[in-house]
Amino acid sequence: MTFSGQTPPHGTDLSADIAAALDWWREAGVDLDYDEAARDWLAGAAPAATDQQAPQLPVLPAPPPPPPAPKIGGDAAQWPADHAAFVQWWMTEPLLDSGQVFGRVAPRGPVTAPIMVLVDHPEAADSDRLLSGEEGRLLDAILRAIGIEPDQAYVASVLPRHMPLPDWAALEQGGIGQLALHHVGLAAPQRLITFGKHVSSLLGNDPAKTADPARQFYQVGGGIPALAAPALGTLMARPRGKAGLWRALLDWQNA
């Protein structure tokens, strides 16, 4: 073995000495060389030479925006202008519910009724009669309390079939509020009660945005007096709400 600064004797095999030194360090457990200083291995590296430049891809124009979603019920100008035709259309028109026609429930009651009731959608078990379950029984009690027999009221829903979790934002964008106003116009009631915040909001009133009780009373269409009430399901779950509705009904009738 030789050391730095020393000249190997004549005839000494330098490669054997180096190999012996490496073996000695390897047996001591040192087989790698470490450097604590950071080093940029890519600094100054020149790009590999190429025989030809990469082809430039053409810049494609942005794709056109998707066409707007079709309006609920199609073109409003084609909606039936007659109430009887509207009810038939309500039960059969595919564009009213993305092609779904099963499970729809027709409105009931006479046109030009003393009061119209508008709810968000039918009850889950409804088939031949709109609001045939617990919510319907509560509605009948409310109507009788204000002196109107249930069969004298016109009862309708914003949606043609039961939907547990409707996407109200999408429905509003699709024009369901305009369709509901058209329905109210054809029914031509003397007064209107809307049950549920989504229903009154679609008709242009949102009492949830203010604590002012006067926001419960508003006008629909050509001046039909309307009352915004909590949803029937909410009234069933929170009995105290019935007292508030009763006070609102008294104020409304005396207005």
Side-chain angles (χ1 to χ4, degrees):
M1 180 183 302
T2 61
F3 298 92
S4 177
Q6 296 180 346
T7 302
H10 180 72
T12 301
D13 188 349
L14 184 60
S15 62
D17 289 345
I18 295 175
L22 293 176
D23 289 342
W24 187 87
W25 285 111
R26 189 177 293 111
E27 290 178 2
V30 180
D31 56 358
L32 293 175
D33 182 24
Y34 294 92
D35 188 355
E36 294 183 357
R39 183 180 302 178
D40 186 356
W41 293 98
L42 300 179
T50 57
D51 296 334
Q52 59 183 5
Q53 295 293 329
Q56 297 294 322
L57 297 177
V59 178
L60 300 177
K71 290 292 184 179
I72 296 174
D75 184 4
Q78 303 300 319
W79 293 346
D82 173 77
H83 179 265
F86 178 85
V87 173
Q88 179 66 25
W89 176 86
W90 179 262
M91 299 296 290
T92 58
E93 173 55 52
L95 291 176
L96 189 60
D97 189 12
S98 303
Q100 170 71 282
V101 296
F102 178 77
R104 296 187 183 184
V105 185
R108 57 179 172 88
V111 296
T112 67
I115 198 163
M116 175 178 177
V117 171
L118 188 61
V119 298
D120 48 7
H121 53 76
E123 293 188 74
D126 287 351
S127 56
D128 297 331
R129 180 181 171 85
L130 179 62
L131 299 185
S132 60
E134 294 183 354
E135 293 184 9
R137 287 189 286 274
L138 174 59
L139 173 62
D140 291 349
I142 293 172
L143 291 173
R144 289 192 176 100
I146 59 176
I148 297 176
E149 286 300 315
D151 291 340
Q152 294 176 335
Y154 185 85
V155 183
S157 58
V158 172
L159 304 177
R161 63 183 174 90
H162 177 72
M163 294 184 183
L165 296 172
D167 185 347
W168 289 109
L171 289 168
E172 183 175 8
Q173 186 176 9
I176 195 67
Q178 183 182 0
L179 180 60
L181 286 171
H182 182 75
H183 192 170
V184 173
L186 294 179
Q190 298 176 27
R191 291 194 175 207
L192 171 69
I193 301 180
T194 59
F195 286 93
K197 63 179 181 179
H198 297 294
V199 181
S200 63
S201 179
L202 290 172
L203 300 185
N205 180 76
D206 191 356
K209 293 181 179 179
T210 176
D212 183 3
R215 291 284 293 180
Q216 291 179 292
F217 311 112
Y218 61 108
Q219 300 285 324
V220 173
I224 300 173
L227 169 65
L232 290 168
T234 301
L235 291 172
M236 293 174 59
R238 301 175 183 174
R240 292 184 179 180
K242 297 178 184 178
L245 174 59
W246 177 244
R247 290 191 297 269
L249 285 168
L250 292 177
D251 293 340
W252 190 45
Q253 287 184 306
N254 295 328

